Amino acid sequence: MNRFVISLTASAALLAASLAPAHAEFDVANLKKAIQASIESDYPKLDALYKEIHAHPELAFQEVKTAARLAAEMRALGFDVTENVGKTGLVAIYKNGDGPTIMVRTELDGLPMEEKTGLDYASRDKTSWQGREVFVAHSCGHDIHMASWVGTAKILVGLKAHWQGTLMFIAQPAEEIVAGAKAMLADGLFTRFGKPDIALALHAGPGPHGTVFYRTGVGSSAADGLDITFHGRGGHGSAPHTTVDPVGIAARFIVEVQSVISREKDPAEFGVVSIGAIHGGTAPNIIPDSVRLAGTIRTFKPEVRAKLHAGIERTAKAAAAMSDAPPPDIKIVEGTKSVVNDPDVVATTAEALKIAFGDKFRTSPPSTASEDFSEFTGAGVPSMMFNIGVYDQERFVAARNGSGPPIPSNHSPLFAPVPKPTIETGVTAMTLAVLSAFGQKNRRK
Ligand SMILES: [Zn+2]
Ligand SMILES: [Zn+2]
């Protein structure tokens, strides 16, 4: 049966053909067609919005122009918009009678890197970041998310005869430094605007466009920062016996800490410790006083996370003790937790998306990357985050058989989604997910 039950009231002209009377079944296939027809007529505006945002990205907590642009779009659609929530974030509310509140989140920020796609709308913008001038690029696809977010809002307003409740569309700053979701929550997101019944988000990534990837349960890794300073006693490089060499201690730690991964952690469980920065010393013949390491810890499960934290600390202390050095300064800073997709929300959404996307609606393994959408799921909101592909299918064939270049991932300077089919998929999938979410909450009543 190609039918999906959503108990919504029905009457709009747009969907008249695809709807039965009030509180009856939607024909998802026809609903998808109607949504796509609507996107088709709106697309020039969405394309312009996407390319403008793409060409002028802004970094974490600097997204002033981007947020203002989205605020104007949402006000024009009739949303009640509050700006500067969590510094540069915004909250757009659309009330449409009694019913559940469904939250849809986009990110606002780009990355401090140079875009090398050669597209005519590529970013050449620069900004100041941590005391340096850097290029800025939307190499994670947050611009795709913003265009899809506005497009979804527009269609849902057009369909307002078919759902009841509140749309809570939020644009979150600083996802790339996993700080923006926390900032919005700390600024009263759920107390000033109410806690949503269900939260939804999507992410663009290196799959074929038209494809939607999803999973139940853990969807992304927990990320923690690692900052260790090993102390020694500096001196001449020719006389190591008069020193305590922190370079050697740091080197021992870097190698040994991988034993926590390979010998202590269950090999069937995911866990990574990567040291991304080493700072120590100034000259070949000077043993320095100290060496500082910075790294990242990624896990899916809290118990694995606790085990890695303990193992890292023990290994660092032991590496120092072996050289009779003072204890190291060890800082493990919580970044963000795993995104956990709620089984009920996923099941309901999957029912509709399977019909709409057929075999292009696929399960995927959890991502080892991290994502601060987890702050909302962690705050107890049943949620779903899904992924959409961005490239032409032929590129995957060419990359596989060696006749084309490798597929650039998110954060690559070559990351270049094909805008139209990607945004169309984002809007279609998110609109159906929101309608499913309203349907799920209404069925429970
Ligand atoms: Zn990113
Ligand atoms: Zn991202």
Side-chain angles (χ1 to χ4, degrees), residues 107 140 142 145 175-176 203 371 410-411:
E107 315 88 321
C140 202
H142 297 178
H145 309 170
E175 191 284 322
E176 292 294 354
H203 209 296
E371 162 61 64
N410 300 66
H411 293 208

Side-chain angles (χ1 to χ4, degrees), residues 21 64 83 117 142 162 171 204 211 262 271 285 352 359 365 444:
V64 177
E83 290 174 80
T117 59
H142 297 178
H162 308 290
T211 308
S262 66
N285 58 353
D359 64 1
R444 273 185 189 164

